[in-house]
Amino acid sequence: MQRASIILITSLLLLFGFGAVPANAQGLSASGQLDAAAETSQDPQSEVILFNMLNQARSDQGLAPLQRDPGLDAIAREWTASMSPTGKLTHRSDIVEQVVTRVTTSWQRVGENIGWGPSAEWLHSGFWNSAPHRANMLGDYNRIGIGALKESDGYVWVTVNFLKGPDLVGPTTPDGSSNADAADAWAVSPDGTVTPFGDAPHLGDPSDLNLARPIVGLSATPSGNGYWLVASDGGIFSYGDARFYGSTGAINQPIVAMAPTPSGNGYWLVASDGGIFSYGDARFYGSTGAITLPVWPRRQLGSDTGSLAKTAACTPSATLASRERRTA
């Protein structure tokens, strides 16, 4: 009986209990007081349901699907886990800081929906029937993270994070195709977790470290028995037969990608402003660091879209690398 009354209150407070406002401290919506969850467990099934229903809704409206982002998933799950014991739905005031330090520095828009209800389908319907939440669902984003927890009685807590930034790239083969089954390859997440494909060995990663900035690129050595990881602050992590030749230290703009030399005895780093940093036997041929590059127009913060926008250069970051064995 107590649960039924809470459902009614939550339904009456949909625009409050569901959050879909700009991800900054000044834009927090009012939050409803729910009954604190006694026991919860991660709910990947509800995450998949919400993800599929959302992309179907976007498809029905002629919009491109959103890409599931493991970094955003981690942020969403963390926030859901912090909300459920309190029984309160509240927006995360440091969402932008989390995105910058754990996902990408090249973000343009960030949004968030939060909710609590009897099922994933019910939550999707609630979000869809609320204009601010639907604006996020159909908004100008390309990446999404979902974190769901299920109570022992089946009720679901969820955080949905939306992001517009560089596209996530699928595993790439040596010939440039995207058939992950055709080659050994590695993928790297913003937190430094390296995932091998095929027969590519896992040679180590910095996922157990408290990284100052997210990992934005991975490059393999010519032998295929090593790789470098580069963080947005120019930090380099070497594994296998990859040798360390230097890192940037203080920089004006974040690093977005790296590339090794053919010999494997050096590498280049590129910053979002076109600055080039060369190490080892990598030669410097020029850069656009002194040139003012075009940026995306500045968008105004608006509660009707439930998002936060900033001016940012649109430069994709390399997050995957193929493992190609080459002979000298």
Side-chain angles (χ1 to χ4, degrees):
M1 194 66 178
Q2 179 185 11
R3 176 67 74 176
S5 64
I6 292 171
I7 297 173
L8 176 61
I9 293 171
T10 304
S11 299
L12 291 174
L13 296 177
L14 273 177
L15 293 181
F16 300 94
F18 285 95
V21 297
N24 73 330
Q26 297 178 343
L28 297 180
S29 68
S31 59
Q33 175 70 48
L34 311 176
D35 60 336
E39 182 179 347
T40 58
S41 59
Q42 190 170 327
D43 187 8
Q45 182 178 5
S46 289
E47 294 175 1
V48 171
I49 291 172
L50 286 165
F51 177 69
N52 289 339
M53 293 184 74
L54 172 56
N55 272 337
Q56 182 60 56
R58 289 179 63 89
S59 176
D60 292 343
Q61 299 296 317
L63 299 174
L66 300 181
Q67 297 174 294
R68 188 83 181 266
D69 186 325
L72 289 176
D73 281 347
I75 294 173
R77 288 167 182 159
E78 179 180 280
W79 189 243
T80 301
S82 73
M83 285 192 302
S84 61
T86 69
K88 293 182 179 180
L89 285 169
T90 55
H91 283 285
R92 185 163 193 162
S93 61
D94 67 342
I95 181 66
V96 170
E97 178 183 350
Q98 294 296 320
V99 167
V100 168
T101 58
R102 299 167 62 179
V103 180
T104 179
T105 57
S106 299
W107 65 276
Q108 296 174 55
R109 299 166 64 88
V110 175
E112 181 179 73
N113 285 351
I114 53 176
W116 172 87
S119 68
E121 292 83 357
W122 187 91
L123 286 165
H124 173 81
S125 177
F127 286 145
W128 183 255
N129 290 317
S130 165
H133 305 83
R134 187 168 62 251
N136 267 346
M137 298 167 77
L138 301 179
D140 185 19
Y141 300 104
N142 61 333
R143 291 156 68 169
I144 188 175
I146 305 174
L149 288 177
K150 181 170 287 187
E151 298 178 8
S152 56
D153 59 1
Y155 278 70
V156 178
W157 292 79
V158 69
T159 301
V160 183
N161 291 329
F162 299 86
L163 171 71
K164 182 173 184 181
D167 284 332
L168 296 174
V169 185
T172 303
T173 67
D175 63 4
S177 72
S178 59
N179 182 1
D181 295 329
D184 305 327
W186 295 278
V188 63
S189 300
D191 66 359
T193 300
V194 172
T195 303
F197 294 88
D199 294 327
H202 185 273
L203 302 170
D205 64 45
S207 59
D208 59 339
L209 302 179
N210 185 19
L211 298 176
R213 288 293 184 268
I215 298 297
V216 295
L218 184 155
S219 288
T221 61
S223 69
N225 293 317
Y227 47 75
W228 296 273
L229 306 183
V230 61
S232 64
D233 60 1
I236 296 290
F237 303 85
S238 306
Y239 300 93
D241 64 2
R243 293 180 57 190
F244 176 79
Y245 294 100
S247 60
T248 62
I251 50 178
N252 294 326
Q253 296 296 326
I255 298 298
V256 295
M258 74 176 298
T261 61
S263 69
N265 295 322
Y267 43 75
W268 294 273
L269 308 182
V270 60
S272 63
D273 61 357
I276 298 292
F277 305 86
S278 52
Y279 301 92
D281 66 357
R283 295 181 59 188
F284 178 77
Y285 297 97
S287 72
T288 61
I291 301 174
T292 301
L293 299 175
V295 297
W296 290 93
R298 183 178 297 277
R299 297 180 176 87
Q300 298 299 317
L301 184 66
S303 59
D304 59 328
T305 61
S307 64
L308 185 64
K310 76 166 189 177
T311 299
C314 182
T315 308
S317 57
T319 55
L320 300 118
S322 62
R323 182 181 183 236
E324 179 183 11
R325 296 185 181 275
R326 289 182 288 179
T327 58

